[in-house]
Amino acid sequence: MVQNVKKISENRYRETFGRYYEDFVVGDVYEHRPGRTITKTDNTWFTLLTMNTHPMHFDDEYAKGSEFGKCIVCSPLTVALMVGMSVTDVSQKAIANLGWDEIKMTYPLFEDDTLTAESEILEKRESKSRPGAGIVVTKSTGFNQDGKIVCTFKRTILIAKRGHSVEDQVNY
């Protein structure tokens, strides 16, 4: 988690989070912490909130008949948690998410599993249409508590350059 402090005035400081475009280095890997233990309530609420009616995510009796023998975590919840975990390291200074590609669910995640994630910087380039920004491509990988990879995806983000973020514009 990237946390910085900027001096506001004499004896006054404000915490700030995230990286500007200039701070990214291709090949760097950021381990995102804290992890998140996913509860039955998390899984049920997310599944029903998103109108996913597949009983593998909220019906224990149904799930007992599956190859897993129990409920599995709803895949979009896994992706959402991984994105959330990465915000302070990767996209706190984002102007926009431009896309997610190659999302792969590689191992089931279950209720009461603890998810951790990391992101590798794959590419970066100056924006052609926005001189105050650049484009960063990451590959995020999610792990369960046993170190098994449960999900991977690439994410493309438009990131502000130093002096051009919303934070900079509104003196946040």
Side-chain angles (χ1 to χ4, degrees), residues 14 17 40 45 68 100 115 121-122 130 142 159 169 172:
R14 183 177 300 148
F17 295 89
K40 181 176 196 56
W45 283 0
F68 306 113
W100 285 267
L115 178 67
I121 307 308
L122 298 179
R130 294 185 181 219
I159 305 280
Q169 302 309 310
Y172 188 77

Side-chain angles (χ1 to χ4, degrees), residues 118-135:
E118 66 183 33
S119 295
E120 178 182 2
I121 307 308
L122 298 179
E123 304 171 36
K124 70 180 265 191
R125 69 170 177 83
E126 304 271 334
S127 171
K128 293 175 183 157
S129 61
R130 294 185 181 219
I135 296 170

Side-chain angles (χ1 to χ4, degrees), residues 1 9 18 25 29 65 83 108 126-128 130 149 152 169 172:
M1 183 181 322
S9 62
V25 176
V29 176
V83 170
E126 304 271 334
S127 171
K128 293 175 183 157
R130 294 185 181 219
I149 296 173
T152 61
Q169 302 309 310
Y172 188 77

Side-chain angles (χ1 to χ4, degrees), residues 42-158:
D42 296 329
N43 194 34
T44 300
W45 283 0
F46 186 89
T47 299
L48 298 177
L49 178 67
T50 58
M51 298 178 65
N52 182 334
T53 59
H54 199 297
M56 275 301 297
H57 305 303
F58 56 85
D59 185 330
D60 290 334
E61 291 304 310
Y62 179 92
K64 283 180 186 175
S66 74
E67 65 184 276
F68 306 113
K70 58 185 175 179
C71 287
I72 57 174
V73 170
C74 186
S75 301
L77 175 55
T78 303
V79 173
L81 286 170
M82 289 172 59
V83 170
M85 287 177 184
S86 74
V87 168
T88 55
D89 283 323
V90 174
S91 60
Q92 190 78 38
K93 305 273 195 252
I95 297 166
N97 284 302
L98 301 178
W100 285 267
D101 296 297
E102 301 176 33
I103 298 172
K104 296 183 176 123
M105 310 309 293
T106 54
Y107 190 82
L109 194 61
F110 299 102
E111 296 165 354
D112 297 322
D113 279 354
T114 299
L115 178 67
T116 57
E118 66 183 33
S119 295
E120 178 182 2
I121 307 308
L122 298 179
E123 304 171 36
K124 70 180 265 191
R125 69 170 177 83
E126 304 271 334
S127 171
K128 293 175 183 157
S129 61
R130 294 185 181 219
I135 296 170
V136 175
V137 178
T138 66
K139 179 183 180 186
S140 293
T141 304
F143 305 89
N144 70 9
Q145 66 281 354
D146 299 320
K148 293 192 182 204
I149 296 173
V150 298
C151 177
T152 61
F153 57 82
K154 288 184 180 178
R155 182 176 172 207
T156 304
I157 314 157
L158 183 66

